Amino acid sequence: MSASEAARAKKESFKSRRVIKLDATGTYYKDLNREIRARAQEGFRLFEVNNVYGQRYLGTNLWGIKDREKIRIRIHGTPGSDMGAFMDGPTLEVFGNAQDAIGNTMNCGRIIVHGSAGDVLGYGMRGGEIYVRGNVGYRVGIHMKEYMNKVPTVVIGGTMQDFFGEYMAGGRIIVLNKFFEGNPPIRQSYFIGTGMHGGSIYVRGDVEAHQIGAEVGISEPTDEEWKVIEKYVAKYCAVFGLEKRQVKLLKREKFWRLSAKSKRPYGRMYAY
Amino acid sequence: MLTSMLPEFRVERNEDRCIQCRVCERQCSFDVYGYDADHDVMIHREENCVACQRCAVLCPTNALNIRINDYTYKPNANWTREHIQDLKKQAETGGVLLTGMGCDKPHKIYWDHILINASQVTNPSIDPLREPMELRTFLGRRPDHLEMKDGKLQTIEHPSVELSTPIMFGAMSYGAISYNSFASLAQAAYEYGTFFNTGEGGWPKELRKYGKATIVQCASGRFGIDLDYFNDASMVEIKIGQGAKPGIGGHLPGEKVSEHISQTRMIPEGSDAISPAPHHDIYSIEDLQMLIHALKEATDYRMPVSVKISAVHNAPAIASGMVRAGADVIVVDGLRGGTGAAPKILRDNVGIPIELALAAVDNRLRDEGIRNWASLVVSGGIRNSGDVFKAIALGADAVYIGTPALMALGCTVCQKCYTGNCAWGITTQNPYLTKRVNPEIGTRNLVNLLRAWSLEIKELLGCGGINSIESVRGNRLQLRGIGLEQWELDVLGIRGAGQ
């Protein structure tokens, strides 16, 4: 390695370890996101954004940046809607609650919310992971899909509202119904999985037949699926700093798997 | 096999001409023909015939004549043959009637009630063969005013795209149409300097070299979408609605999701591709604004974002909301817009003609002083260059053509796209049939179509003494109505012929 190459490598390594601190107070989302993109293009990988109040589209504009899966943005405050929309690689961690449409059509990457999140989380999501410590709103996980080695996964510590996993075509959602004070009980959620034709929803707690769509079947998770659930619960505990023994407290018999009865729910509707 | 149906078409074979070469049998994808070796004759299963005319065109001795079957029920102005047959089909199947292409009902075609002006003596006409004629068109938001300082433009430009002619190929997904058809559209648009639209079925990697001529769609199913998909293109279009089936989603059956389509849509092979009716992140104009700006963020504000709706009763108010939400281009798709598959009842009864919607939307945006914020593209029912010219004079910036482009590839509008058996190799994924569209010939035919229409538009400009399409845009004085009632003239914003 020549001296100049060594110097460049040292500089790169310095950039990848240095945390860029940004104060979002009074900053328009476009300017905030442009700033992050510009610094990421320079080679910086770690970001700490403070005083975020409703700025949208965090993590969306990081297209075409080398090693973008190493980008990690820690967000303090309440980020705006469409956080991580179309995101392809980076990790976003929110120390607070998040708004609507988090991880919209996300392709790859990780979102961690140390609070609750709003409606339409993970809409059309194809890859990556989303962890929400608390509860989520309405229409979460709609039309999630999977492809090849991409299996999008959403883990929710609390519970969800209506229209959960509608049109779901792939991926998995795990609802732990635990770890969070004041959960609304699961029985408040209706129209779960309406139009579902792929993927799996794992719910801890009883789901009544009148809460789910006509296309959805209820069964027990298989041994293999239980291993996957355990793996993601362990990950959930790790990202939120919970003790691992919490995993053991989750009884397998409390979990139900919701999945599509048919891959062709609308196959017999038409006259040719 | 339905038992209560009369064959819709009759196959007439001139036995003197027929040489039993069996071309008709090989070409028919609807299983009409068979060969009886014992008697050396061709046999017909007329109930399967869709009148696509593939056999008649390819018959080497012109021995075939496919015509409407003249069996008739007792004539009845109310219970037409179509109503009776549809009803019987539903009684046997209990299903929603499917169809393809655009509305074929005799709703008034306003293009045919609008006439174009020409120059005589004063303001002389121009000969386009000798003088330059400008068809170049830009789509995107225009600034409210221009500021110059020291001879330099100060206004920040909004992103726009440039078209060599105001005609683009409308959204038809790979999946709805075959790969060869899709590739022909891409290459022809690229060669002619205009655009094709990928539809919502993704965009194969090897066609990304045509990015300068590509508009990509973001629809409710979000198929094949990632950041490369947007950033490799020149414009992104949010599809809300489609003229052929306003208010409902799409459904590509699993059997059409082949290996390559699965890669392009990024869904597993053989799985259904279901597009929900609404985008579930859009329940209001504010939500639409959110997605428009998400797409602008995702593309770093480098390209215009378009929003497409179908022409419905309150299209002008919706269009105003779309423009205010930040759409740089709005697309309105009319009642006669085509589709690969739609419930017949929707296709024929929902929506309004594009001519009226176009005039009403343009009026509304002008009245509100926001017409320059967005370009207006119309589609659904454009049949020739005269329709294009009239659309532009009514206020459109450009048009999308879908059905005419497919006709250039061989389509005869038999309306059986939804069966996946297209004998012309267009709306099918059967490899035996898709070979029938040769991408080189397809590209050539599409380029020819664009060239022919562009030349005709120049002729129409020249006869009106105008040398730039920009001078026709929204210039309704170029138009007069004929056979229209006052309310229709009022909506179109034109005067009657002779007035």
Side-chain angles (χ1 to χ4, degrees), chain B residues 217-270:
Chain B
Q217 243 184 11
C218 175
S220 63
R222 306 282 160 93
F223 297 115
I225 289 181
D226 60 19
L227 287 172
D228 291 341
Y229 172 80
F230 296 139
N231 283 289
D232 290 348
S234 298
M235 184 155 103
V236 182
E237 181 170 292
I238 300 170
K239 181 209 167 184
I240 303 288
Q242 180 179 346
K245 43 180 176 179
I248 69 167
H251 183 180
L252 188 71
E255 54 262 33
K256 280 195 182 178
V257 182
S258 63
E259 187 188 351
H260 195 247
I261 288 183
S262 118
Q263 287 162 7
T264 305
R265 296 200 173 210
M266 299 189 209
I267 54 171
E269 213 173 318

Side-chain angles (χ1 to χ4, degrees), chain A residues 29-30 33 57 61 63 81-82 86 104-105 120 123 126 139 142-143 145-147 167 264 269-271, chain B residues 93 95-96 220-222 225 227-228 231 255 263 266 268 272 274 276 280-281 283 290 293-294 297 301:
Chain A
Y29 71 79
K30 196 170 161 181
N33 292 333
Y57 318 119
N61 70 344
W63 171 75
S81 296
D82 265 334
F86 307 111
N104 189 347
T105 322
V120 214
Y123 172 36
R126 184 189 307 113
R139 315 199 303 272
I142 290 188
H143 214 305
K145 44 179 86 72
E146 62 188 58
Y147 176 63
Y167 296 100
R264 304 286 312 273
M269 261 185 66
Y270 301 105
Chain B
T93 63
V96 172
S220 63
R222 306 282 160 93
I225 289 181
L227 287 172
D228 291 341
N231 283 289
E255 54 262 33
Q263 287 162 7
M266 299 189 209
D272 276 16
I274 296 176
H280 281 277
D281 51 353
Y283 281 23
M290 201 164 93
H293 287 86
E297 279 282 324
Y301 300 87

Side-chain angles (χ1 to χ4, degrees), chain B residues 327-390:
Chain B
D328 302 297
V329 176
I330 59 173
V331 183
V332 184
D333 192 18
L335 172 69
R336 287 186 297 271
T339 176
K344 190 163 182 272
I345 205 77
L346 263 95
R347 186 199 70 173
D348 293 346
N349 294 292
V350 182
I352 61 172
I354 190 58
E355 303 90 319
L356 300 177
L358 154 61
V361 167
D362 182 64
N363 270 352
R364 175 77 176 237
L365 299 182
R366 279 173 197 281
D367 289 349
E368 295 186 2
I370 56 172
R371 181 63 184 83
N372 63 305
W373 290 12
S375 296
L376 174 56
V377 175
V378 299
S379 56
I382 305 279
R383 303 159 302 169
N384 56 41
S385 58
D387 294 352
V388 178
F389 189 93
K390 290 168 190 174

Side-chain angles (χ1 to χ4, degrees), chain B residues 59-285:
Chain B
C59 176
T61 57
N62 290 328
L64 290 169
N65 187 359
I66 311 296
R67 57 197 305 176
I68 290 177
N69 202 329
D70 50 14
Y71 291 138
T72 182
Y73 297 105
K74 182 175 168 64
N76 185 322
N78 191 36
W79 288 102
T80 60
R81 176 170 164 160
E82 183 185 357
H83 288 310
I84 295 171
Q85 296 270 282
D86 281 355
L87 192 147
K88 288 180 178 295
K89 201 189 270 186
Q90 291 193 293
E92 283 200 46
T93 63
V96 172
L97 293 167
L98 277 183
T99 188
M101 305 312 289
C103 174
D104 61 2
K105 294 291 165 287
H107 303 301
K108 199 173 208 168
I109 296 170
Y110 285 89
W111 304 129
D112 296 338
H113 293 267
I114 298 174
L115 300 169
I116 300 168
N117 193 34
S119 295
Q120 300 292 292
V121 184
T122 62
N123 181 26
S125 50
I126 303 172
D127 183 351
L129 298 178
R130 289 179 187 76
E131 300 198 40
M133 288 291 194
E134 188 61 88
L135 294 190
R136 229 174 354 154
T137 295
F138 292 87
L139 300 181
R141 180 173 176 157
R142 311 286 204 276
D144 290 337
H145 54 273
L146 294 178
E147 273 174 43
M148 303 293 282
K149 197 178 170 190
D150 303 330
K152 271 189 165 177
L153 191 62
Q154 296 295 303
T155 316
I156 300 164
E157 286 289 336
H158 300 281
S160 60
V161 293
E162 183 181 335
L163 285 58
S164 65
T165 190
I167 307 164
M168 304 183 285
F169 299 133
M172 290 173 281
S173 72
Y174 171 38
I177 60 172
S178 66
Y179 183 81
N180 285 358
S181 310
F182 191 84
S184 302
L185 291 166
Q187 202 183 331
Y190 186 80
E191 275 183 24
Y192 204 79
T194 182
F195 285 83
F196 91 109
N197 189 312
T198 61
E200 62 165 319
W203 184 17
K205 293 273 185 233
E206 66 278 13
L207 296 179
R208 306 255 166 139
K209 61 187 173 198
Y210 302 124
K212 278 190 180 137
T214 306
I215 300 167
V216 290
Q217 243 184 11
C218 175
S220 63
R222 306 282 160 93
F223 297 115
I225 289 181
D226 60 19
L227 287 172
D228 291 341
Y229 172 80
F230 296 139
N231 283 289
D232 290 348
S234 298
M235 184 155 103
V236 182
E237 181 170 292
I238 300 170
K239 181 209 167 184
I240 303 288
Q242 180 179 346
K245 43 180 176 179
I248 69 167
H251 183 180
L252 188 71
E255 54 262 33
K256 280 195 182 178
V257 182
S258 63
E259 187 188 351
H260 195 247
I261 288 183
S262 118
Q263 287 162 7
T264 305
R265 296 200 173 210
M266 299 189 209
I267 54 171
E269 213 173 318
S271 70
D272 276 16
I274 296 176
S275 286
H279 288 248
H280 281 277
D281 51 353
I282 304 178
Y283 281 23
S284 65
I285 291 293

